[in-house]
Amino acid sequence: MFIGVHLWLILPLLAQDKKKDAGPKLTVALPLVVEAGKKTKLVVRGSNLDGVTEVRVHEPKSKATLVGKPKKVGVPKDYPLDRVGDSEVEIELDVSKDAPGRTIAFSVVGPGGESNRAQVAIADDTPRVAEKEENNGFDKAQTIRVPAAVEGKIDREKDVDVFQFTGKAGDKLRIEVQAARLGSPADLMLTLLDSDKQILDSCDDFAGSPDPVLTVTLPRDGTYYLSLLESNDFGGSMFAYRLVVRKP
């Protein structure tokens, strides 16, 4: 009788926990960057997205609508589900031209309740550059001009993205990856090399975040290389990043 009473007390709590776990969860929205004053279609990745009926934008002047229905997507073997998600849905995000801040957040609502918030970056005045494959070696390095905000992805396992730029002695640069902070599953390592392919500096994590940041003073005039790789050798369409190179 004592055990039965305890079971009757515990079972409703287990049911509540199960219901809570069944709520929608968001991981990443692609592309990672949107423009203020424009509408952008986003592919939103996550889990438990079946039955999602609403998008809520957490900025009063901006709006979003669902486009189509959620669908299941494959998860590569040994990839962490909580980082890559197993379903996706398209939304159209209409960002106000005077939206404040550098990011804009949204959530979705389904039968299990409201999801966590996902966010995308709002483009600033840094020139935007699209990553171009193949750029997986020094001889194939993609040339960029500073300042630049490169929008790319680690599109396959063990992929390396390499960029080159011209610098002058004494130039001070802040080189920053924006990925995990925007929900991307990419855990990137950033390396700066000189024209002789000698490592000048590198960073894996920074200030408790998986997103690396380098603040450097260039030692001489010439060509410099930036290398990006995924620390776990993962890759795929959702492993997106924004590589920002500019003066502090």
Side-chain angles (χ1 to χ4, degrees), residues 1-2 7 14 61 66 77 89 97 119 142 154 204 238:
M1 185 68 177
F2 183 78
L7 285 175
L14 292 176
K61 295 183 179 180
L66 290 173
K77 184 180 178 182
V89 64
K97 64 180 181 180
Q119 63 179 359
Q142 179 178 344
I154 304 297
D204 187 0
M238 78 291 291

Side-chain angles (χ1 to χ4, degrees), residues 34-247:
V34 297
E35 291 188 43
K38 292 187 177 182
K39 295 180 179 180
T40 304
K41 283 190 177 181
L42 301 175
V43 176
V44 182
R45 186 108 172 190
S47 55
N48 300 327
L49 300 184
D50 294 343
V52 165
T53 58
E54 181 186 352
V55 188
R56 294 178 181 173
V57 183
H58 301 280
E59 194 283 305
K61 295 183 179 180
S62 300
K63 302 176 182 179
T65 55
L66 290 173
V67 180
K69 297 181 179 180
K71 62 180 181 180
K72 287 288 185 180
V73 291
V75 179
K77 184 180 178 182
D78 299 327
Y79 278 41
L81 178 61
D82 61 335
R83 284 171 56 191
V84 301
D86 63 357
S87 53
E88 62 185 35
V89 64
E90 287 189 7
I91 71 169
E92 184 175 74
L93 182 61
D94 187 358
V95 182
S96 168
K97 64 180 181 180
D98 53 357
R102 297 181 179 181
T103 61
I104 186 165
F106 61 90
S107 55
V108 297
V109 180
E114 185 173 359
S115 73
N116 59 305
R117 296 185 180 188
Q119 63 179 359
V120 290
I122 299 176
D124 55 21
D125 58 359
T126 307
R128 299 171 67 184
V129 178
E131 180 224 351
K132 297 179 181 179
E133 294 285 358
E134 296 281 338
N135 61 336
N136 57 356
F138 294 115
D139 58 336
K140 299 179 180 179
Q142 179 178 344
T143 301
I144 60 174
R145 296 180 64 182
V146 178
V150 182
E151 297 168 16
K153 64 179 181 293
I154 304 297
D155 61 0
R156 61 187 180 276
E157 294 181 357
K158 300 182 179 181
D159 185 24
V160 179
D161 290 344
V162 183
F163 305 91
Q164 66 178 20
F165 65 92
T166 301
K168 294 184 178 181
D171 282 352
K172 294 183 179 180
L173 296 178
R174 179 180 172 88
I175 307 166
E176 174 183 2
V177 171
Q178 300 172 3
R181 73 188 70 179
L182 298 174
S184 172
D187 180 359
L188 298 178
M189 175 172 282
L190 170 65
T191 303
L192 172 68
L193 306 96
D194 63 17
S195 57
D196 295 323
K197 287 81 172 181
Q198 298 299 306
I199 295 176
L200 298 177
D201 205 350
S202 65
C203 183
D204 187 0
D205 300 338
F206 180 80
S209 168
D211 291 341
V213 177
L214 293 176
T215 302
V216 298
T217 300
L218 300 182
R220 62 184 69 88
D221 294 357
T223 299
Y224 291 86
Y225 296 93
L226 289 170
S227 168
L228 276 178
L229 59 84
E230 216 285 328
S231 298
N232 302 291
D233 288 335
F234 293 153
S237 61
M238 78 291 291
F239 284 75
Y241 63 82
R242 188 171 187 245
L243 173 64
V244 182
V245 186
R246 59 189 170 199
K247 294 183 178 181

